[in-house]
Amino acid sequence: MNLHPRLGDDTVANLDAVIPDEAELTAGTKVVPGRSYGFFTDTTVCIGCKACEVACKEWNNLPADDLGLTGQSFDNTGALSANTWRHVTFIEQRGTAGVRAHAQQPFQSGWLMMSDVCKHCHNAPCMEACPTGALFKTEFDTVVVQQDICNGCGYCVPACPFGVVDLNPVDGKAHKCTLCYDRLKGGLEPACAKSCPTDSIQFGEVEDLQARARQRVDDLHARGVQSAYLYGVPDSPGATGDLGHLGAFFLLVDRPEVYNLPTAPTRASNRVKPSLATGLATIGALALLAAGFLARER
Amino acid sequence: MGTRVGIVTLAQEARFQLVDDAGVAQLFILSRSAAAEPAQLPELQRCRTRVRVDYRAAPNLIALSAERITLLGEAGAGAP
């Protein structure tokens, strides 16, 4: 049979040809099971090129979705979804929010850009909500959906305080960023971080990244950008409601809501006891009321 | 429902790429109603068996929904 030459290409990765511990060369960190890895996204150097979105779609074989015009400026993907695991948020602002206010005209730097992603929470609410155990913590302290276990119940979707997890209506299962679990297992840096031309997305061990991020905030403060702060490190916005810290955290220069991030995210499981207590109290109150009416009738 | 014949060259979760005899690649997502599991896709990729995929358009996606995969029992070019 005459087959197209492309069909003869080697479609299976030749692992012997992969540089061992490549992440050490590209991100300055060795990927070792048992340690915590994550992303530090410095939004002040994001240029909105969307290389991270493309790299994510390419590596993970994800289709383009949300077709058509969003009507929101340069934002073509709109939001994170089952098929978009990286989303560059474009925020158009009046003024400069204090950044280079004396150096440039406001219309020249009125953009905030942020590459959003699954936060890989330390105490992940999606994992707590999953009844089948499909969501699990990997050996790299990241949160991944195991597709053959997921039954598509969707409990993880409302449990996520960041609105990250989504169901794909075609296969009926939950999908989200895996922090390139397959690449980590091969000693590679995640695709989005590797493709970022300005190092806005930095990959590494979470503790190292947190120290690097604090240093960056100090530098920005020294340069006059007093609005810079971290979102998702311990004792900061984003790391609230027993979430611990976020594996993927951010350096922001405006309020979290501006970036479509919750100011004080919480675990859904924190609300179970109060909800149950409220329900029981309501039943008790209604029973007392009914007993009172019955007593009056007699 | 449309049909394509080719070999699976990429498989990840429920997504796979089918390359037909003309060398045209198409991305599919295994439908929830298909009698196959995502775990079976890597084996199809490894064996490079020719398959026929019956598909429907996936709403709001540049991908097709694979409703049925039929093995044609014919090894591809690089089959071991």
Side-chain angles (χ1 to χ4, degrees):
Chain A
M1 180 194 300
N2 289 327
L3 293 173
H4 191 278
R6 190 171 171 184
L7 295 179
D9 292 349
D10 188 3
T11 58
V12 180
N14 181 1
L15 292 177
D16 294 336
V18 172
I19 299 170
D21 299 320
E22 196 200 78
E24 210 168 3
L25 299 174
T26 60
T29 187
K30 193 174 175 179
V31 182
V32 179
R35 296 183 188 170
S36 295
Y37 294 91
F39 293 126
F40 161 44
T41 305
D42 182 349
T43 64
T44 59
V45 290
C46 179
I47 56 173
C49 69
K50 305 189 188 210
C52 51
E53 282 189 19
V54 175
C56 177
K57 294 248 181 197
E58 279 289 318
W59 179 263
N60 294 299
N61 208 20
L62 291 164
D65 63 353
D66 201 15
L67 309 178
L69 291 170
T70 60
Q72 292 177 34
S73 189
F74 300 109
D75 193 346
N76 63 319
T77 39
L80 292 173
S81 72
N83 293 297
T84 299
W85 297 350
R86 267 277 176 196
H87 168 242
V88 180
T89 308
F90 284 70
I91 305 132
E92 196 167 6
Q93 288 194 318
R94 278 187 174 183
T96 57
V99 181
R100 296 193 299 275
H102 306 295
Q104 288 187 312
Q105 293 300 314
F107 64 85
Q108 287 180 313
S109 58
W111 286 96
L112 296 177
M113 291 151 188
M114 183 194 76
S115 182
D116 199 6
V117 69
C118 170
K119 315 301 177 289
H120 295 276
C121 308
H122 182 62
N123 299 318
C126 57
M127 224 170 73
E128 294 174 336
C130 181
T132 64
L135 278 145
F136 73 105
K137 276 263 180 182
T138 70
E139 63 270 38
F140 306 112
D141 202 22
T142 57
V143 184
V144 172
V145 187
Q146 216 171 339
Q147 292 298 312
D148 54 342
I149 312 288
C150 178
N151 66 359
C153 69
Y155 290 178
C156 51
V157 177
C160 176
F162 303 99
V164 169
V165 195
D166 191 22
L167 288 182
N168 186 337
V170 178
D171 69 0
K173 298 191 178 193
H175 296 271
K176 66 171 203 70
C177 161
T178 63
L179 215 137
C180 281
Y181 185 36
D182 47 354
R183 288 177 67 90
L184 294 189
K185 284 194 282 190
L188 299 168
E189 181 183 7
C192 54
K194 191 175 178 182
S195 70
C196 182
T198 62
D199 264 350
S200 170
I201 304 168
Q202 296 177 35
F203 166 76
E205 283 190 54
V206 171
E207 282 188 9
D208 294 347
L209 291 176
Q210 287 173 350
R212 199 184 302 170
R214 288 191 180 100
Q215 181 62 49
R216 171 72 177 156
V217 170
D218 290 344
D219 288 349
L220 286 170
H221 286 176
R223 291 183 196 187
V225 187
Q226 296 299 327
S227 54
Y229 68 97
L230 296 177
Y231 180 92
V233 299
D235 304 319
S236 76
T240 49
D242 294 337
L243 286 177
H245 62 268
L246 306 183
F249 59 95
F250 302 84
L251 189 155
L252 308 176
V253 291
D254 207 330
R255 290 171 295 119
E257 306 93 294
V258 172
Y259 296 89
N260 201 24
L261 294 169
T263 309
T266 56
R267 291 161 68 191
S269 56
N270 283 4
R271 296 188 285 278
V272 171
K273 277 184 187 171
S275 299
L276 186 64
T278 309
L280 291 174
T282 307
I283 292 170
L286 288 172
L288 280 174
L289 204 62
F293 272 121
L294 285 173
R296 276 179 63 185
E297 289 292 317
R298 287 176 187 168
Chain B
M1 195 180 289
T3 299
R4 287 210 186 183
V5 174
I7 61 170
V8 176
T9 54
L10 283 172
Q12 193 169 37
E13 295 186 341
R15 303 175 295 279
F16 65 95
Q17 179 180 268
L18 188 87
V19 178
D20 66 17
D21 296 344
V24 177
Q26 178 64 52
L27 180 59
F28 288 89
I29 299 174
L30 194 60
S31 164
R32 61 196 307 172
S33 58
E37 285 294 322
Q40 294 173 296
L41 295 174
E43 184 62 16
L44 284 180
Q45 179 196 351
R46 197 185 63 76
C47 295
R48 310 185 78 181
T49 309
R50 281 170 65 77
V51 294
R52 186 180 73 227
V53 179
D54 298 322
Y55 65 86
R56 289 182 199 280
N60 209 22
L61 286 179
I62 301 183
L64 298 170
S65 171
E67 302 295 324
R68 182 188 175 100
I69 300 177
T70 311
L71 298 177
L72 298 179
E74 194 179 326

